[in-house]
Amino acid sequence: MRELAGICVFCALAALTPLFVTSGSLQNLVIMTLYATLLGQAWNILAGFGGQFSFGHAVFFGSGAYAMAVLQVKFGWNAWAALAAALAAGSAVGAFIGALSFRYGLKGSYFALVTLAFAEVFRILANTFLFTGAGVGMMVPLNESAAALQFADRSGYLYLILAMVTAGFLISWWLKHSRFGAWLQALRDNEDSAAALGVDVFRVKLIAIMISGALMAAGGAFYVQYFHYIDPHIAYGPAVSIEALLAPIVGGMGTLWGPLLGAAVLHALGELTRSVTGDAPGVNLMVYGVVLILMVTFLPRGILGGVVTLFGGRGAKKGGDRA
Amino acid sequence: MKSQRRIFLKQSAALAAAAGLPAIARGQGATVKIGVLHPVTGFLAYSGNLCRVGARLAVDEINAAGGIKALGGAKLEAIYADAQSKPEVGVAEVEKFNEAGVSAIVGAYASAICLATTQAAAKYNIAHLVDVGVADQIVERGLKNTFRFAPGYKVVARAAINNLHIMNTLARKPARTVMIIHEESLFGTGTANLLAAELPGMGYEVKEVVKHANPTRDFNNIVLRMKALNPDIVIPANYFNEYALLVRTMKQQNVQPKAIYSVLGGAASSFKFVKEFPDAAAGVIDCNHWYNPKDKRSLALRKKVEAKGDFFTYEVFLNYQAGYLLADAIERAKSRERGAIVDALASSTWDKHFMPYGPTRFVNGQNQGAQPLMMQVLKGDIKVILPNTFAEAEPVFPWKA
Amino acid sequence: MLEFSILFPSILNGLTTGAVYALVALGLTLIYGVLHIINFAHGAALMVALYAVYFLHEQAGVNPYAALPLAVPAMFAFGYCLQRFVIGRASHGKDENILLVTLGISIILENLALYLWKSDTRTIDAPYMLQTVDIAGAMISLPKLLAFGGALAAAALLLAVMAKTDLGRAIRACAKERQGARLVGIDVEHVFAMSFGIGLACLGAAACFLLPAFYVNPNVGNSFVLIAFTVVVLGGMGSFAGALLGGLLIGVVESVGGLWLGESLGQIGIFVIFIAVLLFRPQGLFGART
């Protein structure tokens, strides 16, 4: 219950940021942090709660992004309808990949690699067909009205991403406290035992990947509306897949607040290194890499894991410890 | 409570980041701030860094010559930012430019990044000079703040087709068949589509259009196809690495078409390529951004850049010109104010450049006089062969090794 | 389009390209087979090796092939230290942390290279590089043919080391049963570091064979990583023979796929195989069923 209250407080505060954050670039930072949170939440559902690591989460992102772009540009759909379709697309792709992978019992690194392969396959397909604009990508025309899910005032985008992140929080909360979530976490901790206890492992994993896919697709749809442009490299390339897994691992996998914390810290780190290291190319990213390694070294269970250890472990957290 | 601690942490992080942001300009300083945005890391780093070299040269020279005289000698203060080869980072940097109070922006090399950054800048009516970005969509969206000095790919492709026809006709039409090899993204595909659409109408048979990825590790298959099809002319439109690999592979496999006729060829008009692979580069023709070789200033700049150890590429001189174009607009606007600079650019007739463009005239943000030139690698140097007004040498066509 | 006169050289070419993939994958498969880590830094390490070979040629005039006895041990030392002092320490053995650490390493290496050596693409130009060898009418690039030989030699060498030496036995022991190996007195951390070192040493060899036919810039590793993973999975994680054969096979698939479907779409063949292997035969061609 406290967590639900926490979510409400967070959402209220975030929704009020336009009042006390007037700097355009800070607003952008907040939006991008929330965007990274959303991607992280999606990944967290499957990997943190479900134990199924994915290296190719971009496959869902790109499907949502392209659904959004293609439906609006090529078929003249309304943006809101396209958004719904984008979520459905992410879910459908999740169902497809999940059905194949889980049916054939792919686990651990094998599952991770197969998601990577699927992302590449989709990238090549998107790159080939004129339907998705091929290598040229697609541009969504400027049309700043709420009906077209574009906003002249940046706070419109803030509310949009906040709504998506809130959905992510509620889903994560539900996973923490529901029976379904218990099944999911059980099979994460020990799949065989869970199966022995009667959990329908296949079905649970499948639903989890569909939810994860839909949420990730929402991120893709947001990207298209905010940046007005998508191409196969952005949509299905490794950058998005990596961004999705960085925040939850750094923040704390399988937790409610991990993705948000991780996203905030990583973005702050990015800004800090950029402003401190001047304009020699690459130096800021080097520092970023070093800090990343240091964070992993000293906070092996993510930031939240570290906080828990520091303040006395209230409820042992199970990460993905593999011998 | 847990949740409040988290909120606190998040806000602190945001504040810490804000502390690193440049201070918001207050009133009139003694400088005119401009944002210089290029992808200096990531896969576009090579070009991005060269762009920065050109921009920096212009800024330093303008300041050394006394800055903006109409504003009492105010110096140009360039804020250099890295777009990290990603549109979203470009947008974030534009936001920071806005905070820092820049009066205008120069950048961002790649079309995908430019599309996003010009739009972001439009919100604040900051003039955005597009240095390269050849996609025509950039200037077709009706954004009042976007200005492109150099030509887009449609103009370049058309010029290439016309010049090919001229050259072929002059040599009594030895070439009939064509094979197009292009990179998969915006500029390659757009260029290839235009060529494939218009060449048949001028009497050329397009034997094949081959698309390849960025990056491509191996061109042997494509060269094998080339051997089998035996086109008279091979038309590549791609970036430096792939172009170099393709031409080297052709050399290795002994494939010798009547001409390698590039359009916006990545390595074709590159002094780096000519220097590193003189044999493979010999005779290669390119339709690309180029300076007026008859203008002494361009030669002087070339010497200056090469003395620094850099190659005199289009990234360098296009950004150099953009810097001067901007300075001229600020002089005429007699103001740092963004709207004034946008207006000054829109009405610019600047002709003190060494590009083959004539006086500047922007319509919908595109400089109407912008045109590419045709170059050929002859005797270890790159010489302009068409149009005649700028030609330094006769085209050697067909090319015999 | 698929007549013999084009198909044959294409297949041969695929074999030679595949040999380079195999060289890259040999190291990756050892690292995965023994340490069970998916090394995200493999591409960046290849890039470092390529730069090493490049500078040896430019500054010291050392022929890339002659650089083998220099590049291989140097990369070995680099890999040993990386695993012993960075990855092993930082990750505390947890999978997701290893992922982040290798990711961090690849970011650092790429940007360090960018900072030190700028983003220019470097190539070496030497007379033998444009030479071709005529094999039944197909003109095969000499450097690539040498790479083919090199891959075979490397695979054979690795197989011998694993089978015949004490180190090889220790590596196999650690791969199979970590705790057990520790109990019988094997210094597991040392063995892991040795394995990682050998893995990167293979990249040193790959770089010597690759540079004459290719180029180097800070981003060059990225284009090989995915393919290397595919080869490792196809061949069977931990199997050298698998990496060799897998590499050759993938090279041919890429080449013929490119002929048939076009260079862009042709790449899809590689990943379709990747997925098919993962689904239907995850242990790959030669891996043991776990």
Side-chain angles (χ1 to χ4, degrees):
Chain A
M1 260 328 115
R2 260 197 326 199
E3 283 170 340
L4 273 182
I7 296 175
C8 288
V9 170
F10 167 75
C11 290
L13 278 176
L16 290 174
T17 51
L19 290 181
F20 51 91
V21 174
T22 44
S23 138
S25 68
L26 251 188
Q27 283 176 353
N28 189 48
L29 184 64
V30 170
I31 291 176
M32 291 314 286
T33 303
L34 286 174
Y35 161 78
T37 306
L38 180 68
L39 300 187
Q41 284 174 329
W43 192 85
N44 195 32
I45 288 172
L46 192 60
F49 289 109
Q52 313 298 313
F53 275 45
S54 142
F55 288 168
H57 240 59
V59 74
F60 309 119
F61 176 91
S63 303
Y66 270 112
M68 205 65 189
V70 170
L71 286 172
Q72 285 185 84
V73 172
K74 293 229 148 92
F75 295 100
W77 278 33
N78 168 269
W80 293 87
L83 177 61
L87 296 177
S91 205
V93 172
F96 171 64
I97 295 178
L100 270 179
S101 316
F102 301 139
R103 154 90 181 66
Y104 287 96
L106 285 184
K107 283 180 244 207
S109 8
Y110 293 108
F111 175 73
L113 289 174
V114 91
T115 56
L116 186 60
F118 272 113
E120 261 305 286
V121 168
F122 274 65
R123 189 190 66 77
I124 294 171
L125 288 174
N127 206 21
T128 307
F129 296 114
L130 280 176
F131 180 67
T132 45
V136 178
M138 298 199 72
M139 224 179 67
V140 170
L142 208 57
N143 178 5
E144 280 167 348
S145 73
L149 262 185
Q150 296 179 34
F151 308 95
D153 184 355
R154 194 178 289 108
S155 28
Y157 286 110
L158 177 70
Y159 298 134
L160 179 60
I161 193 68
L162 187 58
M164 293 175 175
V165 168
T166 308
F169 271 127
L170 292 173
I171 295 174
S172 305
W173 182 87
W174 173 69
L175 284 178
K176 273 189 88 173
H177 298 278
S178 68
R179 180 172 303 181
F180 176 82
W183 293 338
L184 186 61
Q185 293 177 78
L187 70 86
R188 169 194 71 195
D189 295 338
N190 193 323
E191 192 166 316
D192 295 327
S193 307
L197 287 170
V199 174
D200 186 343
V201 168
F202 177 77
R203 191 174 146 271
V204 171
K205 280 193 201 174
L206 193 62
I207 295 178
I209 197 173
M210 287 172 72
I211 298 176
S212 180
L215 205 58
M216 194 75 184
F222 176 80
Y223 185 97
V224 166
Q225 295 304 107
Y226 195 50
F227 292 104
H228 304 271
Y229 178 74
I230 195 78
D231 71 24
H233 189 71
I234 296 174
Y236 292 113
V240 167
S241 295
I242 291 175
E243 189 162 4
L245 56 84
L246 272 181
I249 296 181
V250 165
M253 280 182 25
T255 66
L256 185 63
W257 299 99
L260 175 64
L261 208 50
V265 167
L266 287 172
H267 269 78
L269 178 65
E271 292 298 307
L272 223 64
T273 54
R274 238 184 296 183
S275 59
V276 156
T277 59
D279 35 285
V283 177
N284 61 319
L285 288 169
M286 262 195 279
V287 174
Y288 185 91
V290 170
V291 176
L292 197 61
I293 295 181
L294 287 175
M295 273 200 281
V296 170
T297 312
F298 296 111
L299 293 169
R301 300 237 288 251
I303 297 178
L304 275 176
V307 166
V308 161
T309 319
L310 207 58
F311 289 92
R314 203 179 333 161
K317 288 227 167 48
K318 275 259 199 169
D321 270 328
R322 268 156 253 226
Chain B
M1 276 185 10
K2 260 194 195 179
S3 46
Q4 271 157 9
R5 191 184 300 139
R6 259 161 227 106
I7 296 165
F8 170 68
L9 282 170
K10 172 181 172 270
Q11 298 288 6
S12 310
L15 281 170
L21 292 172
I24 295 171
R26 261 174 262 270
Q28 304 277 47
T31 63
V32 180
K33 292 204 174 87
I34 58 170
V36 177
L37 178 64
H38 293 112
V40 293
T41 58
F43 67 100
L44 294 167
Y46 178 64
S47 298
N49 276 294
L50 282 170
C51 289
R52 208 184 247 194
V53 165
R56 204 183 282 256
L57 261 173
V59 168
D60 291 344
E61 270 182 20
I62 292 168
N63 285 344
I68 305 293
K69 301 185 183 57
L71 292 174
K75 301 258 192 283
L76 284 176
E77 184 187 334
I79 303 177
Y80 295 100
D82 176 13
Q84 289 185 27
S85 305
K86 292 186 196 166
E88 57 261 33
V89 177
V91 166
E93 293 297 331
V94 168
E95 294 294 337
K96 296 217 195 95
F97 283 158
N98 177 47
E99 307 277 285
V102 304
S103 301
I105 297 174
V106 173
Y109 179 70
S111 297
I113 306 180
C114 290
L115 279 171
T117 53
T118 46
Q119 211 149 278
K123 278 207 249 287
Y124 309 107
N125 202 26
I126 305 178
H128 190 314
L129 274 169
V130 172
D131 53 349
V132 178
V134 294
D136 284 297
Q137 290 146 307
I138 296 176
V139 289
E140 284 169 1
R141 291 166 300 165
L143 291 178
K144 300 242 170 359
N145 70 321
T146 305
F147 299 95
R148 183 167 65 191
F149 185 56
Y153 76 78
K154 281 197 202 134
V155 165
V156 177
R158 283 237 162 69
I161 295 172
N162 291 332
N163 286 322
L164 172 61
H165 198 55
I166 292 175
M167 205 178 61
N168 198 26
T169 312
L170 280 175
R172 268 170 298 208
K173 297 206 182 359
R176 275 255 105 85
T177 56
V178 158
M179 180 173 172
I180 304 173
I181 302 171
H182 70 96
E183 60 89 33
E184 63 191 3
S185 78
L186 224 146
F187 109 77
T189 310
T191 308
N193 286 343
L194 216 92
L195 289 167
E198 309 223 342
L199 279 173
M202 302 178 85
Y204 297 93
E205 183 197 342
V206 178
K207 285 225 143 159
E208 190 156 331
V209 180
V210 175
K211 178 166 82 161
H212 69 77
N214 282 329
T216 295
R217 289 169 293 273
D218 184 83
F219 278 94
N220 275 293
N221 268 349
I222 294 182
V223 173
L224 275 173
R225 274 282 241 317
M226 218 187 275
K227 255 194 199 164
L229 291 171
N230 199 19
D232 294 322
I233 299 186
V234 169
I235 303 186
N238 37 31
Y239 290 110
F240 185 93
N241 293 337
E242 281 67 39
Y243 191 98
L245 212 52
L246 170 64
V247 175
R248 280 166 69 194
T249 310
M250 284 169 67
K251 191 99 198 142
Q252 186 174 55
Q253 296 281 322
N254 241 340
V255 175
Q256 190 74 66
K258 296 200 171 72
I260 299 179
Y261 188 93
S262 348
V263 181
L264 288 169
S269 310
S270 159
F271 289 111
K272 177 178 158 77
F273 184 57
V274 171
K275 176 166 168 235
E276 292 178 0
F277 301 105
D279 290 329
V284 157
I285 300 174
D286 191 18
C287 184
N288 211 330
H289 304 294
W290 203 248
Y291 53 85
N292 181 355
K294 305 214 159 132
D295 190 320
K296 291 204 182 53
R297 288 171 297 179
S298 56
L299 301 175
L301 184 65
R302 179 176 159 183
K303 274 212 179 70
K304 190 170 172 184
V305 170
E306 287 174 351
K308 278 171 85 258
D310 286 311
F311 289 104
F312 195 51
T313 63
Y314 69 88
E315 291 102 333
V316 175
F317 55 73
L318 282 181
N319 271 278
Y320 180 85
Q321 304 287 236
Y324 270 93
L325 171 63
L326 184 56
D328 173 77
I330 301 175
E331 290 275 4
R332 283 174 33 245
K334 298 196 183 46
S335 157
R336 285 177 185 78
E337 198 256 307
R338 291 169 180 172
I341 295 178
V342 169
D343 291 335
L345 278 168
S347 60
S348 178
T349 52
W350 184 58
D351 63 351
K352 298 217 171 16
H353 52 76
F354 50 75
M355 301 300 289
Y357 298 167
T360 305
R361 188 170 70 93
F362 287 112
V363 171
N364 280 332
Q366 175 62 50
N367 181 13
Q368 296 300 298
Q371 58 163 331
L373 292 181
M374 297 287 307
M375 284 71 67
Q376 186 168 26
V377 178
L378 295 167
K379 296 202 182 66
D381 196 7
I382 302 177
K383 299 254 178 267
V384 177
I385 50 173
L386 283 169
N388 287 320
T389 24
F390 302 104
E392 299 169 276
E394 290 285 315
V396 177
F397 175 74
W399 179 259
K400 288 175 187 46
Chain C
M1 193 43 57
L2 288 183
E3 324 96 54
F4 187 73
S5 62
I6 296 201
L7 196 56
F8 180 62
S10 183
I11 292 179
L12 283 189
N13 194 50
L15 284 172
T16 54
T17 310
V20 177
Y21 296 156
L23 276 169
V24 176
L26 279 171
L28 197 59
T29 202
L30 176 63
I31 291 174
Y32 186 79
V34 176
L35 292 103
H36 300 294
I37 62 182
I38 295 183
N39 183 17
F40 266 111
H42 214 65
L46 175 65
M47 179 263 298
V48 168
L50 281 166
Y51 268 110
V53 176
Y54 172 78
F55 283 120
L56 276 171
H57 182 266
E58 292 299 295
Q59 314 283 12
V62 179
N63 178 301
Y65 302 110
L68 272 168
L70 293 166
V72 172
M75 288 303 289
F76 172 79
F78 180 50
Y80 185 94
C81 295
L82 213 54
Q83 165 60 25
R84 193 90 200 240
F85 305 120
V86 182
I87 300 176
R89 294 255 173 92
S91 59
H92 307 273
K94 294 178 86 217
D95 281 359
E96 63 265 21
N97 291 346
I98 294 176
L99 209 164
L100 280 196
V101 172
T102 52
L103 195 61
I105 292 174
S106 81
I107 294 176
I108 293 173
L109 288 177
E110 256 182 52
N111 286 286
L112 187 61
L114 180 62
Y115 177 69
L116 288 176
W117 302 314
K118 305 210 291 168
S119 38
D120 306 22
T121 297
R122 321 285 187 119
T123 35
I124 56 177
D125 202 7
Y128 52 81
M129 276 170 48
L130 285 183
Q131 261 185 309
T132 54
V133 172
D134 192 329
I135 300 183
M139 285 162 73
I140 304 300
S141 138
L142 180 62
K144 296 186 101 184
L145 207 54
L146 290 172
F148 187 78
L152 288 173
L157 192 61
L158 283 166
L159 279 166
V161 164
M162 290 302 270
K164 303 265 166 42
T165 66
D166 281 341
L167 174 65
R169 272 188 281 274
I171 291 178
R172 278 183 287 142
C174 291
K176 259 197 143 78
E177 180 48 69
R178 199 174 291 198
Q179 288 292 60
R182 209 173 261 134
L183 286 173
V184 299
I186 295 179
D187 182 349
V188 173
E189 273 64 47
H190 171 70
V191 170
F192 280 170
M194 294 288 279
S195 309
F196 203 88
I198 297 177
L200 289 203
C202 293
L203 286 179
C208 292
F209 288 109
L210 180 59
L211 190 59
F214 202 56
Y215 52 76
V216 62
N217 63 40
N219 292 310
V220 84
N222 297 331
S223 43
F224 287 93
V225 172
L226 273 183
I227 302 234
F229 279 137
T230 310
V231 172
V232 167
V233 164
L234 175 60
M237 306 213 215
S239 159
F240 295 126
L244 180 65
L245 274 147
L248 295 177
L249 190 61
I250 291 287
V252 172
V253 166
E254 187 187 32
S255 200
V256 176
L259 259 192
W260 187 31
L261 292 169
E263 288 306 302
S264 227
L265 187 57
Q267 296 277 303
I268 217 173
I270 302 174
F271 300 103
V272 167
I273 291 190
F274 197 6
I275 294 174
V277 169
L278 280 171
L279 290 178
F280 305 120
R281 199 188 158 85
Q283 73 271 33
L285 294 171
F286 292 97
R289 203 174 251 290
T290 36

